[in-house]
Amino acid sequence: MPERADARALSLKELPVSLLTDPVMIEACQARDFGRVFQMVKTRAGIYPSMIARRCDLTPSRVGEVIDGRRQLLHMDVIERISDGLRIPGHMLGLARRTWETPQNLTVTPHEPTEAASSADAQLAAGYPGRTWTASSPWRLNGTSARRH
């Protein structure tokens, strides 16, 4: 039960839109200046270094060193954890779109082709009279090779 409460506490506090759209925050993210990012998260979102550390899977002392300017975070896996933990959109840190940025109703789930789809493909192919295609040859038109331009 305590694990469930911890997970809920981690997800309750999102960064305010006003912080994510602040030009200083945008510049700090683009420069990957995590000392400034963490300081702004602390002052503007009320998320203290110990919670930043938990959300980003870092140690509190490491977060403190970053805020004090004694350490830089350069490894891509750490930058991704910061993006995911603080919910900073990937593009702000020069990353690809994060999985949590796409709403579930917009995700595409791959599916296996059904028999109906296979027969529909066959019917579609049959809709081109006189043309056949094989993997080893280009389109054939009535038994002769047709060039594709």
Side-chain angles (χ1 to χ4, degrees), residues 6-83:
D6 287 348
R8 213 173 328 136
L10 290 176
S11 66
L12 287 178
K13 194 81 170 175
E14 298 293 327
L15 296 183
V17 173
S18 61
L19 175 59
L20 291 173
T21 57
D22 183 310
V24 176
M25 178 68 162
I26 293 169
E27 181 187 335
C29 287
Q30 288 174 341
R32 293 185 177 168
D33 181 352
F34 293 109
R36 263 197 306 166
V37 169
F38 291 167
Q39 188 63 45
M40 291 184 76
V41 167
K42 177 184 171 188
T43 58
R44 299 271 304 274
I47 302 174
Y48 286 89
S50 59
M51 185 55 73
I52 292 171
R54 289 180 77 191
R55 290 175 73 162
C56 301
D57 196 25
L58 299 168
T59 63
S61 61
R62 191 170 186 189
V63 170
E65 290 171 352
V66 171
I67 291 173
D68 293 340
R70 291 182 284 137
R71 180 185 285 259
Q72 288 187 333
L73 302 175
L74 303 173
H75 293 280
M76 193 57 64
D77 63 319
V78 176
I79 295 168
E80 289 172 344
R81 289 196 324 253
I82 292 168
S83 175

